Amino acid sequence: MAALSPGFCAGHAPSRLPSVSGVCSWWRWRATGARSAGAMGRAPGVAAALFYGAVAALVLLGVRDVLFLYEENRCSMTYMYEYPEYLKIKLPKKISRRFPAYELYLYGEGNYAEENKNLILTGIPVLFLPGNAGSYKQVRSLGSIALRKAEDIDFKYHFNFFTVNFNEELVALYGGSLKRQTRFLHECIKVILKLYKDQEFAPSSVAIVGHSMGGLVARALLTLKNFKPEFINLLITQATPHVAPVMPLDKYLTDFYTAVNNHWILKAQDARNLTILSVAGGFRDYQVRSGLAFLPRLSQHSSALFVVSSAVPRTWASTDHLSIVWCKELILATIRAFFDLIDETTKQITEDPKKRMLVLNHHFVRHPAKFFEEDPETLTELKGTFIWIKIKSSKWTYTVYNESDGKYFMFPLSNHRKTHSHVHCQSSMLDTSSWIYGCLNSSSSMCLEGFDLSWKAELLPTVKVVTLKLQEYPSLSDLVVYVPAINGNKFTLDCEFFKEDSRTVQLPVTHLFSFGFSSSKIVLNSTGLIYNVQLQHFGQIYQAFKIYIESYCHPHKGRKTSVYRLHVPWSHEDSITVSKVPSFTEISAKLHIAQPENDSTVAVLNIYSSLDCQYEVTIKTSFSQVLGQVIRFHGGSLPVYVISNMLLAYGGQLSALISTGQCSDFVLALARAAKPYKVDPIVNVVKFLLGPSGLTKDSKLMTPRRAFMAILLVFVSCTTCGAFAILIIYLHYIFKVIKLHSNVRIEQNVLNKDPKHSKDTSDNSNKEIVKNCDSTETITEAAAASPTTNTAIDNVVNSLKIHITILNLLTWIVLLSLPSLIYWFKNLRYNIRLDPDPCRTMAIILVSTVGILMNSSTTKVKSSKLSKIAAQLPLPLSVAVVAFGPMHLYRVPYFVICSLLLHALCCIV
């Protein structure tokens, strides 16, 4: 091509060429315009860089809090005492042909596994369901501990743990196989029950333990038309996102959730005999936040319980998404519950929903440090040759060590009722025996009969405590504390009477935007065993605080530890911290579930202390944890806002192209056009109205070769996987853009070529051109064509800029379709065609659209009748992306395709 030398203005032009001053004026205008445009562009570019840099820093701080700043793992690992074995259950050929990728196994160890190889089973069936990419071998923790427990009782009762192999499918990313898993699960239950049909105590139902998405698949059983609800009577889910998918990446996933949740609401009577327990992992589980595992109590289905592992008695630890299946403390609570659920008559899990809920509450909500009894004998005769001691003081401490005789300490209540409202007692002896009674018939020196108040107690990590409101027990004459004869063990008993007002204080939390610079503080001056600090105005999920507790204690040898519990009354998500005294303790306060609108309760910090300690409590807003809460609850919406801003930048580039003939850089367009205030107010109105829920050288857009390529990719999407076709066209587009960028660089280098300064920038070359325009040297013939040549290069550069923006948008489409591609590739050995395919329709449209766009230029766009519409469309589309994207992420690519499709039409019309 003809090139314009930087020094051509220094020569004399031949007479046949246009005026040298005209050409030089054109170059002077071009260089001056480039400098001014650069100066104007740099200012918003710097401001945009600072703004987006600050936003990125805040996001990274939030991500750091979610992924790294959580409590240490306090779970113990479960171990197998014998080699675990998995006996494959032979399924009917019809089922095997329908579900070639799925299998059913029976877990066993040692002699137990050998005895069960003939499948003569006499136990209670429990079926374990793995979750997203989960292994069927994860059942070993439950199976091994249940086997040890059965051995302890000489196999009076025992459980047979089955497990399903779902081929480690990525069902959290691709929902197309969830219905298939549900149907296979139904077949497995029927096969399992047939294994027991000739037994004396044949079960009529199966208990299910589902991890992650396995719990949702179990709930989906009720949506099957031919499923009998009596096939399951107990469902325990571990870190299962019941409310909504973690990432709504495809239509099949969201439709599955809608079908399951709607069925449980509209047809709750189908689950009236089913008891369900949902256990969440707490803040260590950053894959499934605990709020998604919440199961609200429905009006017709009250047998549902939700609890966070940090609140489970004798566990008191947060678990990550994987450790929840092997956390020894949590598995022990689950197995104890299983054995307490057994009906001695049928030798199977009880059919009484009320008893099942009592057992689950006993082991997972409030443990009284006693073995479970369905109907405990609360009225007890206090007899035996024990020493009776009457205590009249309001505060009492007794240390037990090598007691040869049992003792009863009796507290008369008549005098205390006048001056106190409550009594609180605690014992550091964590056995399961009864230890506190309410006396009904007392003589002057002893009590003959009393209520066993030990069932009102609650187990904490270092003590068991009981707090009674005296007004609720008007018939009691005395309180009796029992100290057994003991040898070698040392423990402490404490009791105190108090007024509720003296131990309940209100502490308003600091404002969200105080950023930790201000604080609220209280000093608990009175010494006592218990304090209740009410955290006023603490009920939203975006709130996060640091609570500092400093204890001051009198010197005392062998002092007990203090227990701090953050109690959230509207959900079972308590967290417990044990601290030595005196000490300085830091506690994080944040919520998994926001306070319901009709709930008037208050979050409370319970302090269980020693009698001789005083406390100072300080609360501050933790800005980093606030950011963590935002990421935890709204991080999934980040792609939505990124794509929305990119659409705005895309529209800005098209507008600039139409108005000025020049296409701005993507970064500059992003800084100018991506304004949140353009989108968010309209989104709020929409939500309010809707309610909850080398390219340019070929001027032909389509050639036989390109048509064949498009048809081939459509065929690929229909016969294999739509996401695969999208990836191919995306890689093809990248190659085209790279080639175009290379051509632009070559042509610009030729244009700016200077023998003396071959490495000068274009700005320096432009300055030299303007400078040399004052000389009188000859201009070459090539100079006459230079304005036209540079216009062509400008068009190519504009095309490159718009193609880079389109490529950025396509990148997000590829990322959002990637889960389907991974699932298809992982299961390729079973079926070459992904069915159902959430990306097939999108791929067919995108292949045709991108095939036109990759061969388009900005020249045709500027002259199109649809160009103004194409420039204005990205704004409403970006509004739609933000409005609908967070709950239906799979819809976002379709909004992007709408804009690209109109751009493609501009190249034709």
Side-chain angles (χ1 to χ4, degrees):
M1 59 170 283
L4 184 63
S5 173
F8 81 93
C9 289
H12 297 281
S15 59
R16 68 180 183 273
L17 293 180
S19 169
V20 174
S21 61
V23 175
C24 291
S25 299
W26 178 85
W27 273 104
R28 182 180 292 109
W29 169 83
R30 174 180 170 85
T32 306
R35 286 196 300 270
S36 60
M40 293 174 64
R42 281 192 293 270
V46 173
L50 292 175
F51 174 77
Y52 288 113
V55 171
L58 294 177
V59 170
L60 290 176
L61 282 174
V63 171
R64 175 175 174 267
D65 178 79
V66 172
L67 299 184
F68 303 106
L69 300 183
Y70 44 71
E71 66 179 75
E72 61 180 7
N73 187 5
R74 300 204 298 263
C75 283
S76 305
M77 176 66 77
T78 52
Y79 295 97
M80 285 77 251
Y81 291 92
E82 297 176 277
Y83 188 78
E85 296 185 36
Y86 305 89
L87 176 63
K88 185 176 179 180
I89 306 297
K90 187 176 181 181
L91 300 173
K93 292 183 179 180
K94 182 179 178 181
I95 298 176
S96 299
R97 285 195 298 266
R98 285 179 60 196
F99 310 100
Y102 301 157
E103 297 167 322
L104 177 65
Y105 290 88
L106 173 65
Y107 178 81
E109 296 179 14
N111 294 332
Y112 172 77
E114 290 294 327
E115 294 171 359
N116 288 331
K117 284 187 176 180
N118 56 8
L119 293 181
I120 301 177
L121 306 177
T122 59
I124 303 169
V126 179
L127 180 57
F128 175 79
L129 304 179
N132 177 60
S135 170
Y136 66 96
K137 296 182 179 181
Q138 290 174 316
V139 73
R140 59 183 177 267
S141 296
L142 284 165
S144 182
I145 290 182
L147 183 59
R148 302 285 86 78
K149 178 74 172 176
E151 289 175 348
D152 292 341
I153 59 175
D154 295 327
F155 283 90
K156 180 182 179 182
Y157 310 111
H158 70 280
F159 290 87
N160 302 128
F161 275 86
F162 297 85
T163 180
V164 174
N165 178 16
F166 282 137
N167 194 32
E168 300 184 10
E169 291 180 335
L170 302 172
V171 288
L173 305 179
Y174 169 75
S177 63
L178 285 169
K179 289 184 178 180
R180 188 183 307 117
Q181 289 189 1
T182 306
R183 291 192 293 267
F184 180 73
L185 174 59
H186 184 200
E187 299 297 336
C188 287
I189 292 175
K190 292 190 288 187
V191 169
I192 290 171
L193 292 177
K194 285 182 180 179
L195 295 175
Y196 296 85
K197 64 180 181 179
D198 297 328
Q199 301 302 319
E200 180 182 0
F201 299 99
S204 59
S205 61
V206 176
I208 295 180
V209 178
H211 172 239
S212 187
M213 295 297 288
L216 185 70
V217 171
R219 288 181 61 214
L221 283 170
L222 297 179
T223 65
L224 299 179
K225 292 181 179 179
N226 57 345
F227 178 75
K228 298 179 180 179
E230 59 268 22
F231 276 176
I232 54 173
N233 58 9
L234 177 65
L235 171 60
I236 298 177
T237 65
Q238 302 170 327
T240 296
H242 292 291
V243 177
V246 177
M247 293 289 285
L249 292 173
D250 67 56
K251 179 179 183 294
Y252 303 107
L253 187 61
T254 56
D255 286 351
F256 188 82
Y257 265 91
T258 302
V260 172
N261 288 330
N262 285 348
H263 186 94
W264 277 64
I265 294 173
L266 301 176
K267 297 185 179 180
Q269 66 276 6
D270 292 349
R272 62 184 179 274
N273 293 321
L274 173 61
T275 301
I276 179 170
L277 168 68
S278 175
V279 182
F283 290 109
R284 279 188 62 85
D285 189 351
Y286 53 80
Q287 296 183 48
V288 177
R289 61 179 177 84
S290 297
L292 292 178
F294 177 66
L295 274 173
R297 290 174 176 265
L298 305 177
S299 58
Q300 301 180 46
H301 186 247
S302 59
S303 297
L305 182 64
F306 163 78
V307 64
V308 180
S309 61
S310 59
V312 176
R314 294 196 278 190
T315 301
W316 297 303
S318 177
T319 61
D320 59 54
H321 197 63
L322 292 180
S323 68
I324 198 170
V325 301
W326 55 255
C327 177
K328 183 178 179 180
E329 291 78 7
L330 188 58
I331 297 300
L332 283 170
T334 305
I335 297 302
R336 292 188 191 109
F338 269 127
F339 276 89
D340 283 340
L341 285 166
I342 297 174
D343 188 328
E344 294 185 0
T345 303
T346 63
K347 298 187 183 300
Q348 296 294 326
I349 290 179
T350 179
E351 295 295 330
D352 183 5
K354 182 179 178 181
K355 179 181 177 180
R356 292 198 296 261
M357 284 302 294
L358 288 174
V359 171
L360 295 179
N361 275 283
H362 179 90
H363 289 284
F364 288 91
V365 178
R366 185 184 180 96
H367 197 294
K370 289 180 67 67
F371 292 122
F372 174 77
E373 295 181 27
E374 185 176 0
D375 296 309
E377 296 182 2
T378 56
L379 194 60
T380 306
E381 291 186 9
L382 303 179
K383 55 185 179 180
T385 56
F386 297 104
I387 301 172
W388 286 83
I389 303 174
K390 185 171 289 189
I391 306 296
K392 295 183 178 181
S393 62
S394 60
K395 294 183 180 181
W396 170 80
T397 299
Y398 187 77
T399 301
V400 182
Y401 185 68
N402 288 336
E403 287 284 341
S404 57
D405 299 314
K407 297 178 180 178
Y408 283 114
F409 293 90
M410 189 165 64
F411 299 82
L413 298 179
S414 56
N415 293 330
H416 293 296
R417 290 184 187 277
K418 299 176 182 178
T419 55
H420 304 101
S421 62
H422 289 69
V423 58
H424 174 86
C425 293
Q426 59 187 38
S427 171
S428 61
M429 185 177 183
L430 304 182
D431 65 348
T432 57
S433 60
S434 296
W435 61 286
I436 187 167
Y437 302 90
C439 186
L440 291 177
N441 302 313
S442 65
S443 63
S444 59
S445 59
M446 62 189 317
C447 183
L448 303 177
E449 193 176 44
F451 278 112
D452 188 354
L453 298 175
S454 304
W455 292 101
K456 303 291 183 180
E458 183 175 11
L459 182 65
L460 296 175
T462 58
V463 291
K464 51 186 179 182
V465 301
V466 60
T467 303
L468 304 173
K469 189 175 182 179
L470 298 180
Q471 188 179 356
E472 295 178 354
Y473 301 91
S475 60
L476 298 184
S477 61
D478 299 87
L479 186 71
V480 178
V481 176
Y482 170 60
V483 177
I486 194 169
N487 185 24
N489 292 331
K490 184 177 181 179
F491 66 94
T492 304
L493 289 163
D494 298 280
C495 285
E496 70 165 338
F497 292 85
F498 61 90
K499 281 187 176 182
E500 184 179 18
D501 295 343
S502 65
R503 299 302 170 83
T504 303
V505 294
Q506 296 181 350
L507 179 63
V509 298
T510 51
H511 194 271
L512 176 67
F513 296 108
S514 63
F515 301 107
F517 295 112
S518 62
S519 63
S520 294
K521 181 186 296 185
I522 57 166
V523 178
L524 307 175
N525 292 316
S526 61
T527 58
L529 295 174
I530 183 173
Y531 301 97
N532 297 314
V533 181
Q534 297 181 346
L535 304 179
Q536 298 292 317
H537 315 300
F538 178 36
Q540 301 300 323
I541 51 97
Y542 57 79
Q543 294 176 299
F545 306 96
K546 288 286 188 181
I547 300 177
Y548 304 98
I549 305 176
E550 190 169 4
S551 57
Y552 306 92
C553 303
H554 300 293
H556 187 278
K557 188 177 180 180
R559 177 176 289 107
K560 298 177 298 184
T561 56
S562 290
V563 179
Y564 309 127
R565 177 173 67 178
L566 181 62
H567 175 58
V568 182
W570 55 85
S571 65
H572 301 296
E573 55 175 283
D574 295 5
S575 59
I576 293 180
T577 305
V578 179
S579 178
K580 295 181 179 179
V581 289
S583 65
F584 183 82
T585 306
E586 179 183 299
I587 300 174
S588 294
K590 46 193 176 183
L591 298 173
H592 297 290
I593 298 173
Q595 185 176 12
E597 292 183 2
N598 58 348
D599 193 303
S600 59
T601 57
V602 181
V604 179
L605 175 66
N606 302 128
I607 300 177
Y608 301 94
S609 65
S610 299
L611 283 170
D612 55 352
C613 291
Q614 296 179 349
Y615 295 86
E616 181 179 283
V617 181
T618 306
I619 187 168
K620 292 182 178 181
T621 297
S622 175
F623 184 63
S624 62
Q625 292 192 50
V626 169
L627 295 175
Q629 288 291 85
V630 172
I631 295 297
R632 181 175 286 108
F633 283 84
H634 303 291
S637 301
L638 185 61
V640 171
Y641 284 92
V642 172
I643 294 173
S644 175
N645 282 330
M646 290 172 64
L647 278 173
L648 290 174
Y650 178 49
Q653 285 181 309
L654 292 176
S655 297
L657 187 64
I658 295 168
S659 60
T660 66
Q662 299 292 322
C663 182
S664 56
D665 290 330
F666 173 71
V667 176
L668 187 60
L670 191 65
R672 288 175 175 172
K675 307 295 184 183
Y677 60 78
K678 290 184 178 181
V679 175
D680 286 339
I682 308 175
V683 169
N684 292 332
V685 173
V686 171
K687 289 186 175 181
F688 175 77
L689 295 176
L690 293 179
S693 44
L695 279 65
T696 58
K697 292 185 178 180
D698 191 347
S699 60
K700 294 183 179 180
L701 293 175
M702 190 60 64
T703 63
R705 181 179 177 183
R706 292 166 185 167
F708 173 76
M709 182 68 177
I711 294 172
L712 179 62
L713 288 177
V714 169
F715 177 77
V716 167
S717 64
C718 293
T719 56
T720 58
C721 175
F724 184 48
I726 292 174
L727 180 63
I728 293 174
I729 195 70
Y730 173 71
L731 295 176
H732 189 197
Y733 202 108
I734 290 178
F735 172 76
K736 288 278 190 175
V737 171
I738 292 174
K739 187 176 180 181
L740 175 63
H741 183 266
S742 176
N743 291 340
V744 169
R745 291 293 298 273
I746 291 173
E747 293 182 4
Q748 285 181 332
N749 287 338
V750 171
L751 177 66
N752 297 323
K753 186 177 178 182
D754 186 284
K756 190 175 182 180
H757 303 287
S758 60
K759 295 185 180 180
D760 282 354
T761 62
S762 59
D763 280 347
N764 291 334
S765 298
N766 285 335
K767 291 177 182 179
E768 186 177 348
I769 292 168
V770 174
K771 179 179 178 181
N772 291 334
C773 277
D774 295 330
S775 66
T776 57
E777 294 186 23
T778 305
I779 184 171
T780 64
E781 183 177 352
S786 294
T788 305
T789 301
N790 282 276
T791 302
I793 293 178
D794 285 343
N795 289 333
V796 176
V797 172
N798 290 334
S799 297
L800 176 62
K801 292 175 180 178
I802 206 74
H803 282 304
I804 290 175
T805 302
I806 295 173
L807 189 62
N808 285 325
L809 291 169
L810 289 177
T811 300
W812 281 100
I813 295 178
V814 171
L815 290 175
L816 293 176
S817 64
L818 202 58
S820 297
L821 179 65
I822 296 172
Y823 181 92
W824 170 76
F825 185 77
K826 189 174 182 295
N827 292 273
L828 197 58
R829 65 182 184 272
Y830 299 107
N831 199 337
I832 195 173
R833 186 173 187 267
L834 181 63
D835 188 29
D837 187 352
C839 299
R840 184 167 294 132
T841 303
M842 178 171 63
I844 294 173
I845 301 173
L846 195 63
V847 163
S848 305
T849 303
V850 174
I852 295 174
L853 289 177
M854 72 169 59
N855 301 297
S856 66
S857 67
T858 55
T859 305
K860 295 180 179 180
V861 175
K862 286 187 287 186
S863 59
S864 173
K865 298 177 181 178
L866 301 175
S867 58
K868 291 185 178 180
I869 300 176
Q872 298 299 322
L873 185 62
L875 175 57
L877 287 177
S878 64
V879 172
V881 165
V882 176
F884 301 105
M887 294 302 297
H888 302 90
L889 197 57
Y890 67 89
R891 293 182 178 178
V892 171
Y894 289 97
F895 293 121
V896 177
I897 290 174
C898 286
S899 186
L900 298 180
L901 185 59
L902 188 57
H903 186 167
L905 291 175
C906 288
C907 301
I908 301 173
V909 180

